[in-house]
Amino acid sequence: MKKRTEISAILQSPEMDSTVTVMGWVRAFRNNRFIALNDGSTPNNLQIVIDAEQLPEDTVRKIGFHACISATGKLAPSLGGGQAVEVLAESVEILGECNLETYPLQPKRQTMEFLRSKAHFRPRTNTFSSVFRIRHAVAFAIHKYYNDRGFYYLHSPIITGSDAEGAGEMFRVTTLDLEHLPRTESGDIDWKEDFFGRSTNLTVSGQLQAEIGALALGKVYTFGPTFRAENSNTPRHLAEFWMIEPEMAFYDIYDNMDLAEDFCKYLIRYVLDNYYDDVAALDARLAEEEKSLPADKRRPMGLIDQLRFVVDNDFERITYTDAVRILQNSNPYKKGKFEFPVEWGKDLQAEHERYLVEKHFQKPVIVRNYPKAIKAFYMRANDQQPDEPGLTVAAMDVLFPGIGEVIGGSQREERHDALLGRIAEVGIPEEELWWYLELRKFGGAPHAGFGMGFERMVQFITGMSNIRDVIPFPRTPKSAEF
Ligand code: 4AD
Ligand code: MG
């Protein structure tokens, strides 16, 4: 293959008069003369100037939207506005034709829904190429953040026998013949006959295994795919999503909140510092899109302003009991505008979270100490408080504007007997969690951790309104194409 120079390198430090070869996909071709070429290395296109008289007619005819070409020529200062440098092409080679009569994409604005059905081509659009570069940036920044702070990356299993959230929203993994299932004497399916000699599922969370890591290595994090078979068709839910789960020995709920806030800010700052052009492109896209919305549906701030705001301000920290009080004193509550009830003991719904974050505080909010009855079995029980009508656990949720819950976490119940009691209360068979219980029996320690929804964070940073548009191949109910 001919050696090519990446467009990002040329735009960063162009060596005028040097001869370069560039390869990429045509974004636009004007006046039979000017090609806007993109190779994915940057959101910015490079202008290639051709002399149609000097090139084979057949080649010129094939230069067009999303055709793949290689062009060789001298770098020169650009005469036109809009770019500092251009390539004066001496030769052009068509690497991959793209016949617009049959190509599924067209050089015009297309809806996100349509582009979702063309997941094999959508990374070539300006919007999706920026989103996927930023997705990469966030993933890289996650590893950098934890590595720089002495955390170890722990690989939790994808196939597991445990239900880490105790919510039963699992995809089963089996090699049994579904037409001829082996049965026990009592007629139940005999999972002993299955591949692993037991019933298994795809993991909903790596937390329980991360706890094993934290209780030996001190500070660990997992970062991998997790799976939930919940039938949620919303712009915030995927059946397959990625989660980052730090878990730390000797951390309480307050240390946990400090880490969560610092981590969120770091990721946003990293993208602003290193991928500014991509964020700026998405900011402009969003501003354009919002022009068609009525004033009360528009975001209060542009994308970049909002990201800066989050980085520069402290998150609000309140208890669940405070949240209920604020909601019960709110206008929408008094006017009966909330769909779901606000009552101590009931979970906060998206509409309540949005009110707290977007209307009341107008900044990210961390809610802690939720009622025990609505939270997972592993959360540490708090002592009864005089101003609270029921028992709470040391849980915390980080709520973001436009997104809602971006992080959920807790201090863990490290007291063996308390955990045993809780497991019995929620009806999990003790033998399923024997190893988890033994961690409390032998050399246990206070510890805490949280899970960040990777796609929700990427959604916040890119300003995309649907979570299906920040993962290359979304898996949602009734949809697993590509
Ligand atoms: O709040 P969740 O269910 O917490 C846990 O799984 C804990 N085990 C985490 C821990 O403490 N280590 O999920 C954590 C985060 C949520 O805050 C949300 O951002 C994201 O994961 N999340 C989803 N993202 C996309 N699609 C879904 N279906 C999601 N479910 C949760
Ligand atoms: Mg949660």
Side-chain angles (χ1 to χ4, degrees), residues 71 78 106 162 195-196 229 231 272 295 392 406:
S78 179
Q106 295 296 310
S162 349
F195 188 90
F196 295 105
N231 197 9
L272 283 172
T392 62
V406 71

Side-chain angles (χ1 to χ4, degrees), residues 219-232:
K219 293 181 301 193
V220 300
Y221 69 106
T222 73
F223 181 17
T226 50
F227 307 86
R228 304 239 171 136
E230 52 183 338
N231 197 9
S232 296

Side-chain angles (χ1 to χ4, degrees), residues 315-459:
F315 294 5
E316 196 67 39
R317 297 184 184 192
I318 59 172
T319 65
Y320 166 88
T321 304
D322 296 333
V324 169
R325 210 174 289 133
I326 293 167
L327 289 165
Q328 287 178 339
N329 283 319
S330 72
N331 271 330
Y333 179 80
K334 290 179 183 157
K335 292 186 179 150
K337 291 258 164 73
F338 287 134
E339 189 186 337
F340 295 92
V342 181
E343 203 180 298
W344 203 99
K346 291 220 150 62
D347 208 357
L348 301 180
Q349 301 294 325
E351 57 176 353
H352 308 137
E353 297 177 343
R354 295 192 75 147
Y355 175 83
L356 291 171
V357 172
E358 290 160 29
K359 294 274 165 2
H360 190 81
F361 291 112
Q362 304 189 336
K363 51 153 80 166
V365 178
I366 310 182
V367 182
R368 69 175 185 283
N369 297 352
Y370 283 81
K372 182 177 152 188
I374 58 171
K375 287 290 183 183
F377 67 91
Y378 51 71
M379 297 185 176
R380 192 178 197 280
N382 290 321
D383 295 335
Q384 174 71 57
Q385 297 301 308
D387 65 330
E388 292 178 335
L391 285 173
T392 62
V393 285
M396 56 169 234
D397 276 3
V398 181
L399 312 177
F400 263 33
I403 304 291
E405 183 190 331
V406 71
I407 284 179
S410 75
Q411 189 172 333
R412 317 306 187 191
E413 185 56 84
E414 84 283 14
R415 298 162 297 187
H416 180 266
D417 293 349
L419 182 63
L420 196 61
R422 184 73 184 132
I423 286 173
E425 214 169 77
V426 299
I428 302 172
E430 205 181 307
E431 57 280 11
E432 260 183 36
L433 288 173
W434 65 272
W435 50 271
Y436 193 70
L437 284 158
E438 283 196 354
L439 288 175
R440 274 77 184 159
K441 232 180 189 167
F442 306 107
H447 62 290
F450 61 80
M452 171 188 279
F454 180 59
E455 282 77 17
R456 291 199 188 167
M457 193 63 190
V458 176
Q459 221 188 329

Side-chain angles (χ1 to χ4, degrees), residues 100 139 166 251 372 383 444 457 462 475:
L100 264 192
Y251 268 49
K372 182 177 152 188
D383 295 335
M457 193 63 190
T462 57
R475 267 82 184 97

